[in-house]
Amino acid sequence: MNLLLSAESALWLQFAVFAVATVVILVAGSKMSFLADRIADQTGFGEALTGAVLLGAATSLPGVITSAWTAYNGYASLAYSNAIGGIAVQSLFLVVADFFYRRANLEHAGADISNIINGSVLIALLGIMLAASLGPDITVFAIHPASILIFVGYVYGLSLAQSSSVDPMWRVTPTHETKEDEPDDEAKHTPLKRTIPGFLLCLVLVGIAGFAVAQIGTTFVSSLDVSQGLVGTLLTSTVTSLPELVTAIAAVRAGSPQLAVGGIIGGNAFDTLFAGVADIAYRNGSIYHAITDGERFLTAIVIAMTAIFVLGMLQRERRNIGFEGWIVAALYVIAVASLVTMG
């Protein structure tokens, strides 16, 4: 059921609505980056944790709406590939943001215990998703138990990140390239009550735009005569992930590498919840058993991409683009090429 357009609508009109939604997500998403950085300073939560929780969740709103709506309408592969494709393209966005941070490798400057924990949690949650798709088709009220595990695992991961940021048992060795997370003077003198309304307004705008992307995504499957997996991986996931690209670039240009890395890695961890939400919204059984081998393949690739990033934060190369950047970019190209062939 589409409230905006149908597959019979003119193709130019579908792309026009898609383009407008894209612009809204870009503009509102870039504003959220600035406001999230200010909130991190005003609350004292720190850039890494704020990027993982507040910014990661907020910029992921268009994606979760897209996955929930498409799953509810029976597009299982589109809903799942939107989630996993978003994680893949956001990982690529972190490599792009690295080009804008000229001081050093972004994973070097933005290394933080919270980001490393979130990356490790992300690998575990992706593993649960992949295992669910390959294991027995078990559901309770048409919901797979893995979806519950994903929600529980995500919350537990946040608690680990929070406790480790307060009383860390492992610390990043400071270098000349390390950027300390220090509140700016303007943020100190700006009340939080003036920052929150602007952030919420941006949140509403990206939510509405995300709903529009979900509507157009389902029409593209029919009007463009392509697979749900390709639409989800290359179109809807890329557009709904644009806030992460904008915020990551804005953060590194503002000298906040922890916020950039935390926004991407934390946003990716939050994006695993898309699968759980989609599974709940999908009323025809387990969504993990309704996807294709293409989505399972992409999940495995994303696990590898995330592991490479965690290794990059631990290795902390000094050159601008480290080994993790080139490998992640290559894995993304391989994944897209393989999906096109399989689709």
Side-chain angles (χ1 to χ4, degrees):
M1 178 179 64
N2 281 324
L3 303 180
L4 294 177
L5 299 172
S6 66
E8 288 72 33
S9 301
L11 192 58
W12 70 266
L13 183 59
Q14 296 179 39
F15 275 105
V17 174
F18 195 72
V20 171
T22 301
V23 172
V24 172
I25 290 173
L26 272 171
V27 175
S30 61
K31 184 65 175 177
M32 277 198 297
S33 170
F34 169 76
L35 294 174
D37 190 19
R38 178 154 292 183
I39 290 173
D41 294 337
Q42 293 168 339
T43 59
F45 287 156
E47 291 177 353
L49 190 59
T50 301
V53 181
L54 182 63
L55 189 58
T59 54
S60 296
L61 184 60
V64 73
I65 292 175
T66 299
S67 286
W69 179 261
T70 52
Y72 177 75
N73 285 277
Y75 292 85
S77 289
L78 176 56
Y80 186 93
S81 62
N82 178 73
I84 202 69
I87 298 175
V89 75
Q90 285 158 201
S91 299
L92 181 66
F93 288 167
L94 191 56
V95 179
V96 175
D98 209 348
F99 281 95
F100 289 85
Y101 194 73
R102 308 307 305 174
R103 290 181 55 184
N105 177 271
L106 189 57
E107 284 71 52
H108 177 125
D112 184 273
I113 183 60
S114 295
N115 290 335
I116 292 174
I117 289 176
N118 284 324
S120 302
V121 170
L122 174 57
I123 293 172
L125 297 180
L126 289 168
I128 291 174
M129 293 164 57
L130 184 59
S133 70
L134 298 172
D137 187 358
I138 303 172
T139 61
V140 179
F141 299 110
I143 301 173
H144 197 284
S147 297
I148 307 301
L149 285 176
I150 290 172
F151 283 98
V152 173
Y154 177 75
V155 174
Y156 179 66
L158 288 182
S159 68
L160 284 179
Q162 172 64 21
S163 61
S164 296
S165 64
V166 174
D167 185 22
M169 299 298 291
W170 179 93
R171 297 181 184 275
V172 174
T173 301
T175 68
H176 291 295
E177 289 80 17
T178 302
K179 175 68 168 58
E180 294 294 331
D181 180 7
E182 298 178 351
D184 60 61
D185 294 332
E186 186 178 354
K188 293 178 181 178
H189 297 91
T190 303
L192 186 62
K193 63 181 181 181
R194 289 178 54 187
T195 309
I196 295 296
F199 188 86
L200 293 177
L201 176 60
C202 293
L203 194 64
V204 171
L205 290 176
V206 297
I208 294 173
F211 181 72
V213 169
Q215 295 270 297
I216 301 304
T218 58
T219 65
F220 278 161
V221 173
S222 299
S223 58
L224 297 179
D225 193 26
V226 292
S227 70
Q228 296 179 39
L230 283 179
V231 172
T233 302
L234 299 181
L235 291 179
T236 62
S237 66
T238 301
V239 170
T240 56
S241 297
L242 285 177
E244 277 82 356
L245 174 61
V246 175
T247 54
I249 293 176
V252 297
R253 290 175 67 88
S256 303
Q258 287 93 346
L259 184 65
V261 177
I264 294 292
I265 299 296
N268 283 351
F270 185 86
D271 284 5
T272 60
L273 301 183
F274 292 11
V277 172
D279 186 39
I280 295 172
Y282 187 68
R283 296 289 78 203
N284 298 323
S286 165
I287 199 169
Y288 307 104
H289 291 85
I291 61 176
T292 67
D293 288 341
E295 285 84 59
R296 295 184 181 93
F297 171 78
L298 184 58
T299 303
I301 289 291
V302 172
I303 291 174
M305 295 169 77
T306 306
I308 294 298
F309 271 134
V310 172
L311 289 174
M313 285 187 283
L314 293 172
Q315 177 66 23
R316 303 184 70 198
E317 288 191 15
R318 293 178 182 271
R319 54 184 173 181
N320 183 236
I321 304 296
F323 74 93
E324 71 279 0
W326 298 113
I327 295 177
V328 166
L331 286 174
Y332 184 80
V333 172
I334 292 172
V336 171
S338 300
L339 287 175
V340 171
T341 302
M342 298 169 71

